[in-house]
Amino acid sequence: MGNLPTILHLSEMVSLSPSEAMEAGLLVGMLVAGLSFTFVLLRNTFSYLVLWYLYLSFVQVGGDFLYFQWDTLLLEAGFLAVLLAPVRILRRPSTKWLPQDNVTLFLFRWLGFRLMFASGVVKLLIQDQTWWTLTALHYHFNSQCIPTPLAWYAHQLPGFVKQFSVAATFVILIFLSLFMLSPSKHLRYVAFGGQTLLMVLIALTGNYNFFNFLCVVICSSALVDSSFSRTDIELAKFHPNVTRYLPWVMLLGITMFFSEVIAAMLRLRSDFKKEKIFKRIWYGFQCTLICIMATAVFSVSLVPLTFIDRFTWDHIPQQLKDAHEATEKYHIAHSYGLFASMTGVGGRPEIVLEGANKINGTWKEYNFLYKPGAPYRRPPIVEPHQPRLDWQMWFASLTNSFREMPWFLSMTHKLLKQSKPVMKLIDKSPFEKPPKYIRATLYTYNFTNWDDLRNDWWTRKAKKEFMPPTSVDNGDLLQYLKENNLIVEKTVKRPQNSMASRFLQAARQFSDHFSGVQFVYGITCTVLAPVLVPKVISKKAHV
């Protein structure tokens, strides 16, 4: 963990292992989030600061499994929530609109703009022909990480419908995103409407966990003609246009942000001139502090926006670059570029793990809980849950070698030992006892057509060997795991009978009765019920 900002440094102080400390932090986060949702008194800066720092602690040690763009997006949005939330503790927050609120709300709009605008522009900058020819959706529904059942039907749509959808996506991502910076609420409504439509369609056809719910995003333009067959703007001419217009876009954002800051200061003077002197000083201090912090966050966020254009980045003041580098570990401002390149052209790559007791024996397939496996398995619906191992297996299929992924070999080693925590992430083991060998084969998967849907959802064809047969006592495997600190020969003994350890063990055993999806839905319903049920009953009583 080194010098990374994480609460897990305190695990030794409370006699907990790092994994137990993560579980404890998870329970605390769930409790704070649930109470904040239920009780208005707890919706304050300090509650959101706790939630932000807990998630930051997990991201810092989660490695590949907690470094998706939506994880950093959640952290960035969480930090902005800290600035936006009222400061009061255990006192009902005032409904009065404070002058600085528009400033922090603009930071949210700015975040949404950066996310959508960069995601649209980067698709064209990377010069992926599937985006330029509007054929990306010919492959997307089939090749995305964990498609939903509706993705199969979307994949069967006529080509011109999918090309039109790509064009509409560019309109929403690039052009409409500019409306997020507009002072006109009507234009912002248009941007929000486009973003909502896009996110709903993405959620219906793909399992992108909480990403679709988190995105407060915007709209962009497709740089293509109405014939949907070619582009009027050549690839070679697109990058100079980004270089030409990005500074003006940034200038628009800077102008709108500081107009909100100035307006906040003017409202501060007019709205509280009749208040008592101490209250005026307190509100003035709050407004000034928030505006200073918001200005710092906004200034730092300009740096990652310029990552899409080298020329603009070169002209950013070095002081801003240094500030961004210094705050990077806190994930306050991040660069974005979702789905820049379309994978799965010609079929989605998929890794299939198989085990056997003899090299030349019968190989039996391991099916994961959610990712495509046996062709007859229907695509699941799991959002807002994110099965992170299944996601990592999708990324693994895009790599050149299994040796690039220490976690993959660690998983293989634990499957060979039938480690209980890892076996819980597998649908069902095909072996009663640990197999002697495990191998991995790279397959190409494609959705079936209408004629074959009665039998299978997928067709697949073996492409090549991804990992040769490996045994639990393989010397190269053990040496590799030791070099990457994935096998610890000596562990520090900690008291296992402490009250905290016993409580965490009981909570773990209770949660083991539920799948990840069931657990997320259960927690969500538990939090929503105390808030929504009384309102429904009250409404019926009045009727």
Side-chain angles (χ1 to χ4, degrees):
M1 292 183 285
N3 296 320
L4 295 175
T6 172
I7 201 172
L8 300 184
H9 287 302
L10 303 177
S11 60
E12 294 282 351
M13 297 175 57
V14 291
S15 300
L16 294 176
S17 67
S19 60
E20 288 177 330
M22 287 189 69
E23 292 173 342
L26 174 64
L27 292 176
V28 171
M30 291 167 55
L31 180 63
V32 173
L35 292 176
S36 299
F37 184 86
T38 306
F39 301 105
V40 178
L41 296 176
L42 296 177
R43 297 174 197 168
N44 55 54
T45 293
F46 303 99
S47 294
Y48 295 132
L49 182 61
V50 169
L51 293 173
W52 173 77
Y53 191 70
L54 283 173
Y55 202 76
L56 176 66
S57 299
F58 300 151
V59 169
Q60 299 289 17
V61 299
D64 294 337
F65 288 86
L66 271 168
Y67 207 73
F68 295 93
Q69 289 200 40
W70 35 81
D71 290 314
T72 54
L73 179 65
L74 180 59
L75 283 173
E76 189 168 347
F79 187 80
L80 296 184
V82 173
L83 299 182
L84 180 63
V87 181
R88 298 186 178 193
I89 305 177
L90 299 180
R91 293 175 60 191
R92 182 171 292 276
S94 172
T95 57
K96 182 182 295 185
W97 191 258
L98 298 178
Q100 67 269 22
D101 289 342
N102 277 341
V103 178
T104 48
L105 281 175
F106 180 84
L107 289 180
F108 275 99
R109 300 207 306 269
W110 175 248
L111 172 60
F113 161 75
R114 285 167 40 223
L115 172 65
M116 289 298 102
F117 183 77
S119 296
V121 170
V122 76
K123 290 175 173 56
L124 300 174
L125 284 178
I126 206 169
Q127 299 188 3
D128 186 327
Q129 288 294 332
T130 61
W131 289 113
W132 279 90
T133 58
L134 304 181
T135 58
L137 289 185
H138 288 57
Y139 315 102
H140 167 72
F141 299 117
N142 176 79
S143 63
Q144 61 185 319
C145 180
I146 304 179
T148 67
L150 283 178
W152 186 94
Y153 296 96
H155 186 71
Q156 315 301 323
L157 290 172
F160 74 90
V161 174
K162 289 184 279 191
Q163 287 182 301
F164 175 82
S165 300
V166 176
T169 298
F170 279 118
V171 172
I172 292 173
L173 290 178
I174 299 176
F175 286 133
L176 292 187
S177 63
L178 294 170
F179 292 171
M180 291 293 288
L181 306 180
S182 171
S184 169
K185 65 179 181 180
H186 300 293
L187 290 179
R188 295 202 300 268
Y189 290 164
V190 173
F192 177 77
Q195 172 264 334
T196 302
L197 175 63
L198 180 62
M199 290 299 112
V200 168
L201 293 175
I202 292 175
L204 289 174
T205 56
N207 288 286
Y208 290 96
N209 51 80
F210 57 82
F211 170 70
N212 305 115
F213 304 97
L214 179 63
C215 283
V216 187
V217 251
I218 4 238
C219 341
S220 305
S221 113
L223 304 176
V224 288
D225 63 10
S226 58
S227 67
F228 305 115
S229 60
R230 62 181 182 84
T231 57
D232 283 337
I233 300 179
E234 298 176 6
L235 271 65
K237 295 181 180 179
F238 181 72
H239 194 280
N241 284 322
V242 174
T243 301
R244 181 184 306 166
Y245 294 115
L246 182 59
W248 290 103
V249 170
M250 295 174 65
L251 181 61
L252 172 63
I254 293 171
T255 302
M256 296 308 303
F257 172 75
F258 282 104
S259 68
E260 294 288 1
V261 173
I262 294 172
M265 292 300 179
L266 294 176
R267 284 195 299 270
L268 176 67
R269 182 176 180 180
S270 61
D271 292 355
F272 297 98
K273 61 182 179 181
K274 295 182 180 180
E275 299 285 354
K276 294 181 180 180
I277 183 64
F278 292 108
K279 185 170 286 189
R280 288 167 60 186
I281 292 174
W282 171 240
Y283 282 120
F285 172 75
Q286 280 191 65
C287 182
T288 303
L289 179 62
I290 292 298
C291 286
I292 291 174
M293 294 181 67
T295 301
V297 172
F298 177 81
S299 301
V300 168
S301 72
L302 292 171
V303 178
L305 179 60
T306 63
F307 288 176
I308 61 177
D309 180 58
R310 178 72 188 190
F311 179 82
T312 309
W313 186 86
D314 287 339
H315 287 76
I316 288 287
Q318 186 60 43
Q319 293 84 348
L320 275 185
K321 296 178 184 177
D322 294 340
H324 176 259
E325 184 178 354
T327 59
E328 199 167 11
K329 61 183 178 181
Y330 297 102
H331 300 280
I332 293 174
H334 208 270
S335 61
Y336 299 100
L338 298 166
F339 311 115
S341 179
M342 185 52 58
T343 60
V345 177
R348 66 175 291 143
E350 198 69 61
I351 295 173
V352 173
L353 291 177
E354 297 171 301
N357 288 313
K358 295 181 180 179
I359 288 287
N360 298 322
T362 301
W363 290 89
K364 298 180 181 180
E365 180 178 342
Y366 285 93
N367 275 311
F368 286 71
L369 290 172
Y370 307 107
K371 84 177 192 70
Y376 63 84
R377 296 181 68 195
R378 180 178 64 87
I381 298 177
V382 300
E383 53 193 346
H385 171 58
Q386 181 179 359
R388 293 184 181 262
L389 176 59
D390 297 67
W391 268 86
Q392 285 303 125
M393 288 296 293
W394 180 75
F395 282 107
S397 67
L398 304 176
T399 59
N400 296 321
S401 171
F402 64 91
R403 293 182 178 85
E404 299 176 8
M405 302 171 294
W407 67 265
F408 183 86
L409 288 171
S410 177
M411 177 192 68
T412 301
H413 184 250
K414 292 182 182 299
L415 285 176
L416 286 165
K417 299 174 68 175
Q418 285 198 347
S419 169
K420 288 185 178 180
V422 174
M423 297 309 296
K424 292 175 184 176
L425 302 175
I426 303 297
D427 187 17
K428 187 178 181 181
S429 175
F431 301 94
E432 294 183 2
K433 296 181 179 180
K436 291 186 178 181
Y437 301 97
I438 284 182
R439 70 180 183 185
T441 305
L442 187 65
Y443 278 75
T444 299
Y445 277 63
N446 284 289
F447 274 137
T448 56
N449 53 35
W450 287 102
D451 296 331
D452 299 326
L453 181 59
R454 291 182 179 180
N455 300 317
D456 294 320
W457 289 81
W458 300 95
T459 63
R460 69 179 184 181
K461 183 179 180 181
K463 186 176 181 180
K464 65 178 182 178
E465 181 182 76
F466 186 78
M467 182 186 71
T470 303
S471 62
V472 70
D473 55 355
N474 183 288
D476 292 337
L477 172 63
L478 296 176
Q479 182 64 27
Y480 180 88
L481 295 177
K482 289 178 181 178
E483 290 175 355
N484 286 274
N485 297 318
L486 293 172
I487 292 182
V488 181
E489 296 180 348
K490 294 183 179 180
T491 58
V492 179
K493 292 185 178 180
R494 296 183 176 88
Q496 297 298 317
N497 58 349
S498 66
M499 182 179 296
S501 294
R502 292 199 301 271
F503 175 78
L504 290 172
Q505 184 178 6
R508 193 183 309 116
Q509 291 174 347
F510 173 76
S511 65
D512 285 344
H513 291 88
F514 308 96
S515 68
V517 178
Q518 292 171 336
F519 188 79
V520 171
Y521 287 166
I523 292 296
T524 303
C525 292
T526 302
V527 172
L528 290 176
V531 178
L532 298 181
V533 172
K535 292 184 178 180
V536 173
I537 295 175
S538 176
K539 187 175 182 180
K540 287 185 176 181
H542 284 88
V543 173

